[in-house]
């Protein structure tokens, strides 16, 4: 069993989907249709018991209590719990509050099975690290400490200089591969700026990502000039070959797939960008040939 998950959402379809997807991946999944019921379930379980929960995935808007207040109560009960927030269109305020509560990640609605299982894996890892951090009386895991030290070096390089946030985020993303909530919080603390400001910048610029990427990131342009030249067919071919959808990462973490709106190279339409390489005038068959080169590399 990979871990105990509690999913809290007032939409039965979300509960059923999570049960099915995570159950098939080896998680033990419990569900609750409202936060009060979930609190009863959590009260009955202790972190030490085999039915203690590792991850709580909760919706933001629910009857009786919102997701932020619910997570606040969970934090008081068990600081090692991994919390994941399901969001539709969250306000900046709710994002700020969720980040302050130390959520592992957001789960945007609607979400695909791969995105859900990816978040669950990270949440289990987060729980494991947090538990070992507590067990070692305040000393973090070696990898975690090393990463924090590298982030601090980046922060110190720019701290106090005007416009420091963007270069710090860029270098941090190069280092970590993406900008999860924990990294955003670390940067906010280091630069002494509100975490909501960091999140605002990360979500505004398309070159920042809060989701992990594969070793090769493929971007297919679906802007008008590319769309009329069969870009959607190219995207479909790549999805079929890689067995992933937009926003997902292959199981071996080699590829991730994104669609974008105009890469500023309309004269080369249709355009596919892999990492930093731009491929222009691509047809669906050539797209697979391009992919093959990276598969073999
Ligand atoms: S529309 Fe695809 S590059 Fe501009």
């Amino acid at each position: 069993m990979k871990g105990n998950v509690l999913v809290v959402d007032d939409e039965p379809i979300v509960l059923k989907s999570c049960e099915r997807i995570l159950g098939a991946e080896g998680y033990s999944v419990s569900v609750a249709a409202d936060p009060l019921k979930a609190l009863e379930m959590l009260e009955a379980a202790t972190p030490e018991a085999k039915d203690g929960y590792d991850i709580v995935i909760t919706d933001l808007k629910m009857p009786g209590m919102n997701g932020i207040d619910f997570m606040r109560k969970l934090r008081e009960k068990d600081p090692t719990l991994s919390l994941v927030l399901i969001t539709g269109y969250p306000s900046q305020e709710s994002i700020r509050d969720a980040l302050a509560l130390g959520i592992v990640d957001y789960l945007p609605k609607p979400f695909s099975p791969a995105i859900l299982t990816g978040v669950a894996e990270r949440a289990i890892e987060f729980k494991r690290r947090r538990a070992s951090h507590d067990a070692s009386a305040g000393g973090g895991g070696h990898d975690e400490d090393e990463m924090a030290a590298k982030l601090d070096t980046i922060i110190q390089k720019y701290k106090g200089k005007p416009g420091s946030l963007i270069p710090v985020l860029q270098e941090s993303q190069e280092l970590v591969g993406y900008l999860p909530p924990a990294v955003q919080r670390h940067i906010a603390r280091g630069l002494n700026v509100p975490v909501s400001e960091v999140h605002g910048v990360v979500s505004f610029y398309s070159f920042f990502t809060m989701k992990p990427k594969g070793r090769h990131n493929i971007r297919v342009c679906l802007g008008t000039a590319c769309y009329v030249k069969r870009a959607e067919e190219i995207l479909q071919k790549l999805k079929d070959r890689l067995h992933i959808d937009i926003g997902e990462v292959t199981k071996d973490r080699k590829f991730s797939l994104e669609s974008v709106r105009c890469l500023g190279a309309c004269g080369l339409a249709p355009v596919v960008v892999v990492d930093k390489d731009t491929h222009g005038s691509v047809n669906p068959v050539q797209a697979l040939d391009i992919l093959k080169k990276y598969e073999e590399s």
Side-chain angles (χ1 to χ4, degrees):
M1 201 259 292
K2 282 189 177 170
N4 263 345
V5 186
L6 175 61
V7 186
V8 191
D9 200 302
D10 56 333
E11 284 188 61
I13 182 80
V14 175
L15 299 180
K16 280 240 165 311
S17 305
C18 290
E19 254 183 321
R20 183 175 48 78
I21 297 163
L22 294 177
E25 288 290 318
Y27 292 91
S28 164
V29 186
S30 308
V31 298
D34 72 80
L36 297 176
K37 170 75 186 154
L39 285 173
E40 278 174 26
M41 293 165 72
L42 284 149
E43 205 55 53
T46 61
E48 298 78 25
K50 68 174 176 18
D51 59 347
Y53 293 101
D54 302 302
I55 310 172
V56 176
I57 299 175
T58 178
D59 193 13
L60 181 59
K61 287 190 178 155
M62 295 179 289
M65 186 185 293
N66 70 40
I68 299 294
D69 289 340
F70 173 54
M71 289 195 299
R72 215 166 264 138
K73 287 195 178 294
L74 299 185
R75 270 281 164 266
E76 288 167 13
K77 179 176 163 54
D78 180 1
T80 70
L81 259 182
S82 282
L83 304 177
V84 176
L85 185 65
I86 303 175
T87 60
Y89 299 96
S91 65
Q92 282 298 318
E93 195 188 353
S94 57
I95 288 171
R96 186 197 61 212
D97 292 345
L99 286 167
L101 285 166
I103 58 163
V104 176
D105 213 336
Y106 320 101
L107 201 50
K109 273 186 189 175
F111 47 81
S112 68
I115 286 181
L116 176 62
T117 52
V119 167
E121 272 169 33
R122 288 199 296 285
I124 284 290
E125 177 61 17
F126 184 84
K127 162 99 183 178
R128 191 188 61 71
R129 284 191 187 173
R130 204 149 187 168
S132 70
H133 182 274
D134 290 350
S136 60
H142 177 69
D143 292 352
E144 203 177 341
D145 288 348
E146 206 175 303
M147 183 62 82
K150 285 179 181 168
L151 285 172
D152 287 339
T153 305
I154 295 171
I155 290 165
Q156 287 313 319
K157 195 162 118 191
Y158 295 99
K159 194 168 180 172
K161 295 181 185 163
S164 57
L165 182 52
I166 287 188
V168 167
L169 288 170
Q170 279 173 322
E171 288 197 24
S172 301
Q173 181 165 285
E174 275 172 34
L175 174 71
V176 183
Y178 67 117
L179 297 167
V183 171
Q184 292 180 44
R185 281 192 294 273
H186 192 99
I187 292 170
R189 267 198 309 273
L191 289 179
N192 208 15
V193 296
V195 75
S196 55
E197 186 180 329
V198 175
H199 178 79
V201 171
V202 171
S203 33
F204 181 78
Y205 291 102
S206 60
F207 50 83
F208 291 132
T209 176
M210 287 185 266
K211 299 290 167 201
K213 296 254 161 70
R215 285 201 295 288
H216 298 295
N217 187 44
I218 305 171
R219 290 181 290 159
V220 180
C221 180
L222 293 183
T224 310
C226 292
Y227 189 86
V228 296
K229 292 190 173 175
R230 304 168 69 194
E232 211 171 28
E233 254 183 83
I234 293 171
L235 180 61
Q236 192 55 51
K237 282 264 182 231
L238 292 169
K239 283 184 190 176
D240 293 345
R241 167 67 74 90
L242 296 170
H243 303 293
I244 55 172
D245 210 334
I246 293 167
E248 294 179 358
V249 182
T250 53
K251 275 215 154 75
D252 61 3
R253 304 211 171 271
K254 194 160 184 182
F255 293 100
S256 46
L257 189 59
E258 286 178 8
S259 68
V260 289
R261 298 274 161 199
C262 194
L263 287 156
C266 309
L268 298 175
V271 179
V272 175
V273 174
V274 185
D275 305 331
K276 289 179 180 165
D277 308 332
T278 301
H279 303 271
S281 307
V282 177
N283 66 40
V285 176
Q286 285 168 333
L288 294 184
D289 291 339
I290 292 167
L291 185 60
K292 208 179 238 171
K293 283 187 202 149
Y294 292 89
E295 280 170 340
E296 286 161 3
S297 69

